[in-house]
Amino acid sequence: MKKKILVTGGAGYIGSHTVVELFKSGYLPIIVDNMCNTSERNLSGINKILNTELPFHNVDCTDLKQMERIYALYEDIHACIHFAAYKSVEDSVKYPEKYYKNNIGSLETLLKCFEQAKFKNLIFSSSCTVYGMPDKLPVDERAPFKKAESPYGETKQKCELLIQNNNCNSVSLRYFNPIGSHESGLIGDCSSDNASNLVPIVAEVAAGLRAKLTVNGNDYDTHDGTCVRDYIHVQDLAIAHVKALDYLLEHEVKEVFNVGTGHGLSVLDIVTAFEASNNLKLKYAIGDRRAGDVEKIYADGAKIKKVLGWKAVRTTEEALIAAWNWQKSTQDA
Ligand code: NAD
Ligand code: WQD
């Protein structure tokens, strides 16, 4: 019998890629998503890739009654991977209450479900945003939380603390910057929240949907003056969830892992790599700094490699080719 894994936000960007890897690794993902920030395209894409029809519930996971109903329906859900949340930093500044309610509320609801559940195993989607601008790079998991730069960041910090203080078995994964999409081109980022993220914008510039990319400042203390990030292929990130789950089901733990490549790339490095990978030219101009931007951050990946045996294997080139293919397929769709 396959172990049942509840995946909240499983129709979203990272969730859909993780669902595919879970099924391929012998688990049965049960998708819960209210489709507030994704598209049916990902659901049909998942089923096409896997040549099956996975269980799906169109449910808001802040709704305790509905979530309890799902727990009762399946009886032996072995673990929950909790992706469901709003993710736009900008939007969270405008509507902080909306973010507290959904991001913290959905976790609280799940933890309530755990009180009656047979298994209390949780994998939580955290973010490198909890570190703010770290004092030491690469940043490792022992670095302290800095004052959150946005209500979104605050929700990730609060959720991690809620989990720490709960009696569940847990792994929080602090993602760095996920990019790219599945090699099949059938699933990807269908959210409307990615409008300020670098790689989707670069892809839109390449497609002629934007006149140019504005590079947000070139006077930072980095190798070319533009901000540095750790860009990780979303398929590698998805596999990290499977490794975390295998581990969680075998150990009683409260763990936190960085999930990144360990390499920092600047905005201009991404521009050059996108051009070279996809054999095209991008128009860009240098603009002002973006408020709240961290100058540079990249992961120390030693812990996840040692404990889970995971490291990123896909190249930036592969991720940027996939990002461009996804952009083109969105226009064809
Ligand atoms: P996404 O918006 O593509 O996926 C989130 C999914 O959750 C969507 O399908 C949405 O419809 C669903 N959802 C939201 N609220 C819900 C609710 N109350 N009930 C049911 N479904 C709900 O986002 P993503 O990029 O896949 O991010 C997944 C998780 O990873 C989020 O928690 C996000 O904060 C975190 N994260 C994302 C990034 C990133 O850059 N993409 C980085 C770090 C952490
Ligand atoms: C990357 C770099 C921009 C657009 C955000 C969230 C973080 C996490 C991942 C969820 C920055 C620059 C961008 C543009 C640019 N999400 N840029 N021109 O800010 O590292 O992280 O997404 O947890 O919490 O804050 O990612 O892709 O927005 O930006 O120059 O048009 O690209 O200034 O330096 P970021 P990003």
Side-chain angles (χ1 to χ4, degrees):
M1 277 287 273
K2 287 173 184 275
K3 286 185 178 148
K4 296 172 198 136
I5 311 299
L6 195 77
V7 186
T8 74
Y13 174 44
I14 307 168
S16 59
H17 289 81
T18 302
V19 160
V20 166
E21 296 303 330
L22 286 170
F23 189 81
K24 279 171 41 189
S25 302
Y27 293 105
L28 176 64
I30 298 162
I31 301 171
V32 174
D33 201 304
N34 66 356
M35 307 305 282
C36 66
N37 197 28
T38 189
S39 140
E40 294 287 336
R41 184 175 172 195
N42 269 356
L43 286 175
S44 59
I46 291 169
N47 289 337
K48 244 184 236 157
I49 294 168
L50 299 174
N51 194 22
T52 188
E53 181 119 7
L54 288 182
F56 165 65
H57 299 268
N58 188 333
V59 157
D60 182 332
C61 51
T62 62
D63 184 335
L64 182 61
K65 275 215 174 96
Q66 288 291 338
M67 291 300 284
E68 283 178 340
R69 182 184 61 79
I70 293 171
Y71 264 89
L73 184 69
Y74 293 100
E75 285 170 4
D76 58 343
I77 292 173
H78 277 74
C80 173
I81 307 186
H82 182 45
F83 292 103
Y86 295 139
K87 65 166 173 177
S88 160
V89 171
E90 245 177 299
D91 197 41
S92 80
V93 174
K94 279 192 216 142
Y95 310 107
E97 286 308 321
K98 175 179 153 187
Y99 275 70
Y100 301 139
K101 201 167 159 227
N102 198 40
N103 295 11
I104 301 173
S106 57
L107 175 66
E108 285 172 338
T109 307
L110 261 176
L111 295 177
K112 278 210 187 93
C113 291
F114 274 9
E115 287 170 15
Q116 310 298 326
K118 200 157 151 191
F119 302 102
K120 303 175 201 304
N121 296 317
L122 175 70
I123 296 180
F124 176 67
S125 295
S126 190
S127 166
C128 68
T129 196
V130 298
Y131 297 124
M133 177 65 216
D135 299 327
K136 198 181 119 239
L137 286 171
V139 63
D140 71 34
E141 291 82 352
R142 290 165 301 188
F145 285 2
K146 289 278 176 68
K147 188 182 169 339
E149 287 139 27
S150 68
Y152 168 76
E154 213 181 319
T155 67
K156 291 298 169 193
Q157 293 182 341
K158 287 199 170 143
C159 285
E160 278 206 29
L161 294 175
L162 268 176
I163 293 167
Q164 279 304 324
N165 295 323
N166 184 276
N167 67 354
C168 65
N169 208 17
S170 69
V171 170
S172 289
L173 297 177
R174 294 178 181 156
Y175 315 154
F176 282 66
N177 289 52
I179 58 168
S181 56
H182 195 264
E183 63 226 346
S184 65
L186 292 168
I187 54 176
D189 194 344
C190 301
S191 70
S192 48
D193 280 351
N194 62 5
S196 63
N197 287 131
L198 178 63
V199 172
I201 289 179
V202 162
E204 286 179 11
V205 173
L209 299 175
R210 292 174 187 252
K212 62 175 176 2
L213 166 75
T214 302
V215 175
N216 298 329
N218 68 347
D219 57 351
Y220 288 98
D221 183 18
T222 62
H223 62 275
D224 60 16
T226 66
C227 289
V228 165
R229 298 286 183 274
D230 185 335
Y231 296 93
I232 173 169
H233 196 305
V234 67
Q235 274 186 274
D236 277 342
L237 176 56
I239 291 165
H241 289 78
V242 179
K243 292 278 189 192
L245 179 64
D246 294 343
Y247 181 76
L248 188 65
L249 296 180
E250 294 294 324
H251 299 83
E252 274 196 18
V253 285
K254 279 236 178 286
E255 274 294 8
V256 175
F257 296 105
N258 283 342
V259 197
T261 65
H263 303 293
L265 292 177
S266 72
V267 177
L268 290 178
D269 289 336
I270 288 288
V271 169
T272 312
F274 192 95
E275 289 181 333
S277 309
N278 295 305
N279 196 23
L280 45 75
K281 275 298 198 201
L282 290 168
K283 282 194 188 140
Y284 71 88
I286 307 297
D288 294 337
R289 287 183 174 204
R290 185 173 74 177
D293 252 345
V294 162
E295 182 169 86
K296 53 184 163 206
I297 186 163
Y298 47 96
D300 182 328
K303 185 177 174 193
I304 191 165
K305 186 167 177 231
K306 184 166 175 235
V307 182
L308 301 186
W310 175 92
K311 72 176 174 54
V313 294
R314 288 169 175 77
T315 61
T316 311
E317 185 186 12
E318 284 173 275
L320 295 176
I321 291 172
W324 178 223
N325 284 341
W326 176 251
Q327 176 61 43
K328 286 186 286 187
S329 72
T330 327
Q331 283 160 265
D332 298 341

